[in-house]
């Protein structure tokens, strides 16, 4: 589903560009064919209408009005063809003089749409122009305008208006038949000049552009509707996915937390002696359980961020204690890989700060867990320092580092650098995304410095000003149970 939006957006953009391009090309074509000021003025007016996005019917009406206003042409009819209904022809507009003469002649002009079969039955020569896509000329109006008019009505109109020749131009745009324009003249076909044909061609082209634009705009609207529908569907799917992840993570985390608790009691010998052989196995199980809980915590945070339910629960806390306890919790993991892990605390106590302690713990766990994961050998240092303005915490490792070109993407959801994926296949790419959000919600900044093959430093700075006052509303809330580990 995700691929639909970019594709539809691209198509919609291309269509819009095509519409604009067509208008430009049409104007140029019209300018070229214009030979006198009257024709230029007529076409300029139609151009303006096309550019100002008026409806197709209005443009067709303008074309027929213009036709009857010109000195050379008497009147005309603009028709559009509908390919979906097997090529039926619908009258879009008739010139005012033709309209008046027809009304005077009888009840004609009722049937605006004629099917291809009806046109053939009436032996209208417009069918010939349309089917053969060529200009057709004749002298009897009844040969063209039936079944729009009855044969008698056609004869009367012809007489009233003094029509001596009829010319039909098919409207073909990019090899697609769009309709036809009938032109009526008071002079015989043999007397039609090159200029007459040039004007008819230009007017037909204008009608074609208007029709093509309408078709493209309809297509654009249709795509927009589909885009909106696809978007809504995606949003629903996304919300369902977040809800599913949230429920599943909650359900999985409770038993895992219980398992971790019992394992810790077993390792503390609360249930009796543990053999030398059993102890490392239990530690390994405890470690893996902690990792699973960490992943679930990240998943829960992400679904809260997506649902815009992510909030801090600030409480008075001591950062030195948090750093020390997280490091001692992560130490066995580092030791398993023979990595040393060292903590450097500030010489002066930082004092009480109002932070979300569980979320800051989660950030530190992620940084240290990554340092361990992505450091094959060497040491890790956790530095906590403070000035009167800000508190800084950094986790430095001597690991694989991050390729320069990928560093800007590190805090993007699900992003994992290629070298990291090669070294450790398992990983969610969510830890840093969550960490950034937690730190920024504390009005702080994340730190990332890395040299590929040499090591990385991940950390954060928190401004003291944002940590000194408890947010009264937040401080009253219970700490989030979801973050308990
Ligand atoms: P995960 O570790 O599960 O892949 P994270 O969001 O924690 O997800 O990290 C995202 C990516 O950032 C990692 O996949 C890795 O490419 C890079 N990264 C994070 N920390 C380190 C580090 N200490 N050393 C090298 N690369 C790191």
């Amino acid at each position: 589903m995700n691929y639909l939006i970019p594709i539809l957006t691209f198509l919609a953009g291309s269509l819009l560009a095509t519409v604009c391009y067509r208008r430009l090309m049409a104007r140029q074509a019209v300018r070229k064919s214009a030979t006198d000021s009257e024709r230029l003025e007529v076409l300029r007016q139609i151009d303006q209408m096309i550019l100002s996005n008026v409806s197709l019917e209005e443009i067709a009406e303008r074309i027929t009005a213009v036709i009857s206003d010109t000195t050379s042409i008497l009147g005309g009819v603009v028709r559009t063809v509908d390919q979906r209904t097997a090529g039926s022809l619908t009258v879009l507009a008739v010139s005012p003089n033709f309209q008046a003469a027809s009304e005077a002649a009888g009840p004609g002009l009722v049937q605006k749409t004629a099917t291809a079969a009806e046109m053939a039955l009436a032996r209208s020569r417009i069918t010939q122009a349309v089917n053969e896509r060529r200009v057709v000329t004749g002298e009897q109006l009844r040969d063209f305008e039936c079944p729009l008019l009855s044969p008698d009505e056609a004869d009367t109109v012809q007489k009233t208006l003094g029509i001596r020749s009829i010319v039909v131009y098919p409207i073909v745009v990019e090899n697609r038949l769009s309709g036809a324009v009938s032109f009526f003249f008071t002079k015989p076909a043999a007397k039609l000049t090159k200029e007459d044909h040039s004007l008819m061609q230009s007017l037909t082209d204008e009608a074609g552009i208007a029709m093509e634009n309408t078709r493209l705009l309809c297509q654009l609207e249709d795509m927009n509707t589909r885009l909106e529908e696809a978007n809504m569907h995606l949003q629903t799917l996304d919300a369902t996915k977040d809800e599913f992840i949230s429920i599943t993570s909650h359900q999985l985390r409770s038993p895992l937390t219980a398992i971790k608790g019992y394992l810790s009691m077993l390792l503390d010998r609360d249930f009796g002696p543990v053999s030398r052989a059993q102890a490392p196995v239990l530690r390994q199980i405890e470690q893996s359980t902690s990792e699973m809980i960490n992943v679930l915590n990240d998943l829960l945070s992400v679904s809260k961020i997506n649902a815009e339910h992510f909030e801090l629960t600030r409480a008075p806390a001591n950062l030195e204690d948090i750093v020390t306890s997280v490091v001692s919790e992560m130490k066995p993991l580092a030791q398993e890989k023979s990595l040393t892990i060292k903590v450097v605390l500030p010489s002066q106590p930082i004092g009480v700060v109002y932070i979300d302690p569980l979320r800051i713990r989660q950030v530190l766990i992620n940084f240290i867990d990554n340092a361990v994961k992505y450091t094959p050998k060497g040491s890790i240092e956790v530095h906590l320092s403070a000035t009167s303005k800000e508190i800084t915490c950094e986790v430095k490792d001597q690991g694989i580092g991050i390729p320069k070109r990928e560093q800007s993407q590190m805090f993007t959801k699900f992003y994992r650098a290629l070298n990291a994926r090669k070294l450790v296949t398992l990983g969610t790419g969510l830890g840093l995304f969550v960490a950034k959000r937690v730190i920024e919600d504390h009005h702080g900044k994340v730190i990332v410095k890395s040299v590929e093959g040499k090591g990385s430093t991940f950390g954060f700075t928190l401004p003291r000003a944002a940590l000194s006052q408890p947010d009264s509303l937040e401080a009253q809330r219970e700490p989030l149970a979801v973050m308990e580990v």
Side-chain angles (χ1 to χ4, degrees):
M1 256 336 248
N2 277 339
Y3 59 89
L4 254 182
I5 288 194
I7 291 176
L8 287 176
T9 312
F10 170 76
L11 285 176
S14 311
L15 269 177
L16 203 59
T18 313
V19 170
C20 296
Y21 176 73
R22 291 252 168 79
R23 286 175 175 171
L24 188 72
M25 295 316 285
R27 284 208 305 280
Q28 284 173 359
V30 160
R31 297 277 173 267
K32 263 191 215 157
S33 65
T35 53
D36 58 39
S37 61
E38 183 192 27
R39 186 180 331 156
L40 257 183
E41 177 53 24
V42 159
L43 298 175
R44 191 191 62 80
Q45 283 176 23
I46 299 172
D47 266 358
Q48 266 181 350
M49 289 190 84
I50 293 178
L51 286 168
S52 58
N53 271 343
V54 296
S55 73
L56 178 59
E57 284 74 12
E58 283 174 277
I59 294 172
E61 264 168 33
R62 184 73 195 125
I63 290 173
T64 50
V66 155
I67 290 173
S68 57
D69 282 352
T70 55
T71 41
S72 51
I73 312 173
L74 178 69
V77 180
V78 178
R79 288 177 165 85
T80 178
V81 72
D82 186 354
Q83 295 298 354
R84 285 168 306 177
T85 52
S88 61
L89 281 163
T90 298
V91 173
L92 282 178
V94 297
S95 56
N97 54 0
F98 185 82
Q99 174 85 30
S102 307
E103 276 166 16
L109 287 184
V110 221
Q111 193 182 350
K112 289 248 169 174
T113 301
T115 62
E118 284 170 327
M119 296 288 286
L121 194 69
R123 296 179 173 206
S124 168
R125 293 193 64 203
I126 295 173
T127 310
Q128 196 184 356
V130 163
N131 288 350
E132 295 171 18
R133 297 187 178 197
R134 67 175 179 89
V135 178
V136 172
T137 309
E139 282 162 5
Q140 296 301 318
L141 191 64
R142 57 159 61 205
D143 293 346
F144 291 84
E145 293 306 330
C146 297
L148 178 66
L149 297 173
S150 70
D152 287 347
E153 284 168 345
D155 290 348
T156 312
V157 170
Q158 178 155 18
K159 217 167 155 195
T160 312
L161 295 178
I163 297 171
R164 293 187 62 196
S165 63
I166 301 108
V167 183
V168 179
Y169 269 72
I171 305 172
V172 181
V173 184
E174 282 187 359
N175 223 13
R176 190 182 304 109
L177 182 75
S178 304
V181 189
S182 309
F183 298 92
F184 311 130
F185 289 87
T186 48
K187 55 185 170 187
K191 292 256 169 80
L192 294 176
T193 61
K194 240 171 88 184
E195 281 72 33
D196 291 330
H197 277 288
S198 164
L199 181 56
M200 283 190 281
Q201 185 63 64
S202 298
L203 289 167
T204 306
D205 288 346
E206 292 282 345
I209 291 153
M211 284 176 189
E212 184 67 357
N213 281 355
T214 308
R215 191 186 67 78
L216 290 171
L217 286 172
C218 284
Q219 222 171 314
L220 197 63
E221 273 167 21
D222 184 48
M223 273 187 187
N224 261 342
T225 314
R226 282 168 52 205
L227 196 64
E228 272 168 29
E229 282 169 6
N231 204 10
M232 272 163 60
H233 186 56
L234 275 181
Q235 281 176 11
T236 315
L237 284 181
D238 213 35
T240 313
K241 176 214 64 184
D242 283 338
E243 204 180 333
F244 170 76
I245 290 175
S246 174
I247 293 170
T248 317
S249 307
H250 267 296
Q251 296 289 337
L252 287 174
R253 207 187 38 189
S254 307
L256 281 173
T257 310
I259 292 170
K260 192 184 165 192
Y262 282 119
L263 283 167
S264 155
M265 287 160 81
L266 273 173
L267 282 165
D268 289 347
R269 315 294 194 265
D270 287 354
F271 303 113
V274 173
S275 75
R276 271 172 168 248
Q278 287 166 341
V281 178
L282 288 177
R283 263 196 294 277
Q284 183 58 56
I285 300 173
E286 192 197 26
Q287 195 51 58
S288 301
T289 313
S290 294
E291 278 169 28
M292 281 196 271
I293 292 171
N294 291 341
V295 169
L296 292 175
N297 281 335
D298 282 346
L299 283 174
L300 272 167
S301 300
V302 170
S303 51
K304 275 178 190 292
I305 291 171
N306 287 348
E308 292 175 13
H309 291 152
F310 188 83
E311 280 174 7
L312 297 183
T313 304
R314 287 184 192 250
N318 184 305
L319 269 170
E320 286 100 322
D321 288 351
I322 293 176
V323 169
T324 320
S325 90
V326 172
V327 170
S328 68
E329 195 178 300
M330 307 294 285
K331 218 167 204 159
L333 192 70
Q335 279 166 350
E336 244 171 57
K337 289 183 73 180
S338 307
L339 301 170
T340 56
I341 182 162
K342 183 175 134 192
V343 186
V344 181
L345 295 175
S347 47
Q348 297 293 316
I350 291 177
V352 171
V353 282
Y354 288 87
I355 53 171
D356 185 328
L358 296 175
R359 300 262 185 225
I360 293 290
R361 260 182 78 84
Q362 187 184 9
V363 171
L364 260 176
I365 288 173
N366 268 318
F367 287 167
I368 300 175
D369 185 49
N370 282 345
V372 173
K373 263 196 309 195
Y374 303 120
T375 305
K377 65 176 186 330
S379 61
I380 295 163
E381 283 183 18
V382 184
H383 284 253
L384 184 64
S385 58
T387 64
S388 57
K389 291 227 163 85
E390 61 184 17
I391 298 167
T392 306
C393 181
E394 290 182 320
V395 178
K396 301 178 185 199
D397 66 51
Q398 299 174 329
I400 58 171
I402 301 163
K404 207 168 171 50
R405 62 184 178 281
E406 292 185 85
Q407 285 180 12
S408 59
Q409 284 151 288
M410 278 308 105
F411 293 92
T412 316
K413 219 189 307 182
F414 302 118
Y415 194 84
R416 303 195 68 217
L418 192 62
N419 61 347
R421 277 183 278 150
K422 273 189 192 154
L423 184 71
V424 185
T425 39
L426 288 180
T428 58
L430 294 176
L432 293 185
F433 170 75
V434 174
K436 186 167 187 278
R437 174 66 190 259
V438 171
I439 297 306
E440 286 177 354
D441 280 10
H442 279 88
H443 306 287
K445 284 193 182 119
V446 285
I447 298 169
V448 53
K449 293 175 240 169
S450 190
V451 179
E452 191 179 6
K454 292 231 162 105
S456 312
T457 298
F458 279 89
F460 55 82
T461 56
L462 299 175
R464 283 234 194 221
L467 311 175
S468 54
Q469 289 292 322
D471 179 307
S472 53
L473 278 175
E474 281 179 356
Q476 284 165 19
R477 281 194 210 123
E478 291 285 307
L480 280 181
V482 295
M483 296 301 302
E484 277 162 17
V485 285

